Amino acid sequence: MQTLNKKQLGFLGEERVVNFLVEKKYQILFRNWRTKSGEIDIIALDFSNPKGVTLVFVEVKTLPSGNPETLEKELSVTKQKKIVKTSKCFLLEYRQYKYSYIRYDVVVVDMPGQEPIWHIENAFSEYS
């Protein structure tokens, strides 16, 4: 079997996460949304909040040989700030979402010791 490089592994992980979120009734708006400040893997709407629709910025981490320390390193405060900054660029461009509830989720794929798809809702906030 051919070994996948990091980019291929990440793409396959994102594919699985998109399918996982769609099964949970999320509406996927964008994948790999980019701006000068960074990239957001998945931007979706979650309709399960009784107070209103939640705009979710999802960071996907495919870590088949990872552990909690690896995840912590991958999601450093610097990385979180970059995602928040990029999400603000998104909100400036797509003003129809500016009054939405906002959440930052992380979905970990294939990390030993966890579910095959581990969805961490509200993994961090703008003020983390």
Side-chain angles (χ1 to χ4, degrees):
M1 185 175 155
Q2 180 186 358
T3 307
L4 300 175
N5 67 35
K6 189 173 179 176
K7 188 173 183 173
Q8 292 168 321
L9 192 64
F11 177 80
L12 290 174
E14 283 182 19
E15 283 288 306
R16 288 175 58 198
V17 172
V18 164
N19 292 333
F20 171 81
L21 293 173
V22 167
E23 280 182 24
K24 289 179 72 172
K25 307 290 189 249
Y26 285 56
Q27 178 185 341
I28 306 301
L29 299 176
F30 293 95
R31 290 182 62 181
N32 305 112
W33 192 85
R34 289 179 175 81
T35 187
K36 286 184 217 171
S37 63
E39 176 184 340
I40 296 178
D41 294 329
I42 300 169
I43 302 173
L45 296 175
D46 177 5
F47 297 94
S48 68
N49 183 350
K51 295 180 182 177
V53 176
T54 302
L55 181 65
V56 186
F57 297 97
V58 181
E59 177 69 9
V60 177
K61 292 293 174 194
T62 305
L63 302 172
S65 57
N67 57 45
E69 291 78 28
T70 309
L71 180 59
E72 190 175 326
K73 186 175 155 194
E74 292 274 331
L75 283 171
S76 66
V77 172
T78 304
K79 175 72 173 175
Q80 293 174 27
K81 286 180 178 177
K82 193 173 190 178
I83 293 168
V84 169
K85 183 177 181 182
T86 304
S87 72
K88 288 181 177 184
C89 293
F90 175 85
L91 291 167
L92 282 172
E93 188 171 334
Y94 294 92
R95 294 191 175 277
Q96 68 265 39
Y97 299 111
K98 72 179 183 179
Y99 297 114
S100 300
Y101 292 97
I102 294 174
R103 195 175 74 218
Y104 298 95
D105 290 4
V106 174
V107 182
V108 184
V109 180
D110 292 337
M111 188 168 86
Q114 295 296 334
E115 295 293 319
I117 296 180
W118 179 28
H119 186 182
I120 307 166
E121 292 186 11
N122 257 334
F124 60 92
S125 72
E126 180 176 354
Y127 309 104
S128 293

